[in-house]
Amino acid sequence: MQLDLKKYVLALKHTFSISRESHDFQNTLIVSLSLDGQTGYGETTSNPYYNITVESMMAEIETIRKEIEAFHIDHPENFHAFLTSKKLSNFAICALDLAAWDLFGKLQGKPLYDIWGTGNTSYPITNYTIGIAPVEKMVEKMKEMPWPIYKIKLGTDDDVAIVRALREHTDAVFRIDANCAWSASETIANAPLLKELGVEFLEQPLKANDWEGMEKVMHHSVLPVIADESCIVESDVQKCALHYSGINIKLTKCGGITPALRMIAEAKEMGMKVMIGCMTESTVGISAIAQLVPQLDYVDMDGPLLLKGDIADGVKILPDGKLIFSKLNGTGVSLR
């Protein structure tokens, strides 16, 4: 098997701001695994919140390059177990795991949703994310991209007023992501006001480790609350079941498709809603998410829509949020 690593710098259409950071570019790592005339592609973005850079991931992977290239992938789950045993970061494992699943599907001659037996005819549509900015700029972004569901990033001193101002310009469903910026009392107080403004749910309003605060929110919030920063890996799912209505799985953070499949199954067994979110990946990472959408309640896979230019072909997202799946197998990705 041949391993290739390449860094890309993805330029964003607009400055993307959340409660703790802003950026105009997204650094991303593309991993390719080639065997028997087929190539599988995987992706992981850098992330300052978790101290992950493309360079650090490349260095991790290079330390076991020979072992990776010698590994016989009879199934991606076995490859994932091997990578985990090598103590790589979940971010690095994600890129390799996605590439392994794409390669596996291409060698099997099937898209992943067929391998999993889920089909691809029924699935939730993606939201489109509006980052923190002056209200006028947020309205401008909505008008530039009319969409049925918006995820609104908040974490300011005037959050409810912002949502009220945005509501004047669209009838779309709103989802609110405060990225850990609120307190429990603030969340409970904001919830009924936001519900009146057509908000569907709140995502990660409190700090990731504020379990006591989330217990209060679960008892008193009139809106469902979805865990993001509080749900990183498989072992987090059970704890989140007591404190959240659902979880938002990030492939980059949990380590790829392999653990995500187990997290989806566990969360559903516990009666939780399941979402998968993106980290402004290119179509490489988003096409991997697309294979999982028939298993989800919600999805945030708007990464390519936020970019000035893409680096790959795969799943296409239509203006109404629906998907055109690639005719290629695996995750359906080819690099441009």
Side-chain angles (χ1 to χ4, degrees):
M1 185 164 61
Q2 181 181 343
L3 165 68
D4 286 300
L5 309 175
K6 187 170 183 179
K7 176 182 177 179
Y8 289 86
V9 180
L10 308 175
L12 307 184
K13 288 181 181 177
H14 302 283
T15 298
F16 188 79
S17 298
I18 64 174
S19 61
R20 58 176 175 261
E21 63 190 53
S22 297
H23 54 277
D24 295 295
F25 298 90
Q26 177 66 72
N27 295 331
T28 196
L29 171 64
I30 301 297
V31 170
S32 63
L33 295 173
S34 300
L35 180 68
D36 295 340
Q38 299 288 346
T39 299
Y41 299 99
E43 179 176 17
T44 297
T45 58
S46 63
N47 194 297
Y49 183 73
Y50 296 99
N51 198 30
I52 295 291
T53 67
V54 170
E55 289 74 18
S56 70
M57 290 186 287
M58 292 176 76
E60 289 181 78
I61 296 170
E62 287 292 353
T63 63
I64 60 167
R65 170 183 284 273
K66 291 183 179 179
E67 292 176 83
I68 290 172
E69 293 188 328
F71 194 90
H72 174 64
I73 301 182
D74 54 349
H75 195 283
E77 289 180 359
N78 297 331
F79 185 55
H80 189 276
F82 157 73
L83 296 172
T84 302
S85 74
K86 296 300 177 180
K87 308 299 182 184
L88 300 184
S89 69
N90 282 347
F91 284 77
I93 291 174
C94 173
L96 290 160
D97 182 73
L98 267 55
W101 274 105
D102 186 27
L103 176 61
F104 181 71
K106 286 172 177 172
L107 291 171
Q108 294 284 319
K110 296 179 181 180
L112 297 185
Y113 55 78
D114 273 353
I115 290 175
W116 299 327
T118 63
N120 71 339
T121 57
S122 178
Y123 54 83
I125 63 172
T126 183
N127 52 231
Y128 181 80
T129 305
I130 305 295
I132 295 174
V135 171
E136 297 78 12
K137 183 65 175 178
M138 296 174 81
V139 171
E140 180 184 318
K141 290 179 182 179
M142 290 197 311
K143 290 183 176 180
E144 177 185 287
M145 189 67 74
W147 210 256
I149 308 172
Y150 291 109
K151 177 190 277 194
I152 311 297
K153 295 285 190 176
L154 295 178
T156 74
D157 294 330
D158 302 297
D159 285 340
V160 175
I162 289 172
V163 177
R164 189 171 287 118
L166 297 180
R167 176 51 73 205
E168 295 178 4
H169 299 274
T170 180
D171 293 327
V173 173
F174 284 167
R175 296 168 177 172
I176 300 302
D177 187 358
N179 285 112
C180 309
W182 293 352
S183 66
S185 59
E186 189 176 7
T187 302
I188 293 165
N190 286 347
L193 303 175
L194 294 172
K195 185 176 183 179
E196 290 179 3
L197 291 168
V199 170
E200 183 179 21
F201 62 71
L202 307 176
E203 185 177 334
Q204 197 65 50
L206 275 57
K207 288 182 172 57
N209 62 353
D210 189 358
W211 300 105
E212 183 179 348
M214 273 310 306
E215 187 172 354
K216 295 176 183 176
V217 170
M218 277 293 286
H219 282 98
H220 299 289
S221 173
V222 299
L223 283 174
V225 184
I226 307 296
D228 183 355
E229 285 87 345
S230 293
C231 190
I232 299 174
V233 295
E234 292 177 66
S235 58
D236 294 327
V237 176
Q238 187 171 8
K239 192 167 188 178
C240 285
L242 301 174
H243 298 85
Y244 290 90
S245 313
I247 58 171
N248 182 4
I249 301 167
K250 300 288 180 62
L251 300 186
T252 52
K253 294 193 292 186
C254 74
I257 288 172
T258 299
L261 287 167
R262 295 192 290 256
M263 293 171 76
I264 291 168
E266 184 178 3
K268 286 187 172 182
E269 286 178 6
M270 294 182 174
M272 303 175 75
K273 296 292 186 180
V274 182
M275 179 178 186
I276 285 185
C278 66
M279 307 289 273
T280 325
E281 294 98 328
S282 75
T283 288
V284 175
I286 297 306
S287 292
I289 293 175
Q291 304 299 308
L292 293 160
V293 289
Q295 303 182 47
L296 307 178
D297 299 293
Y298 316 116
V299 68
D300 173 14
M301 52 183 289
D302 62 350
L305 304 176
L306 303 175
L307 303 178
K308 284 184 179 179
D310 209 338
I311 60 173
D313 294 305
V315 69
K316 290 182 172 59
I317 304 172
L318 299 177
D320 60 0
K322 293 182 180 179
L323 306 176
I324 297 178
F325 287 83
S326 172
K327 293 182 179 180
L328 297 179
N329 295 310
T331 63
V333 171
S334 60
L335 282 186
R336 293 178 180 173

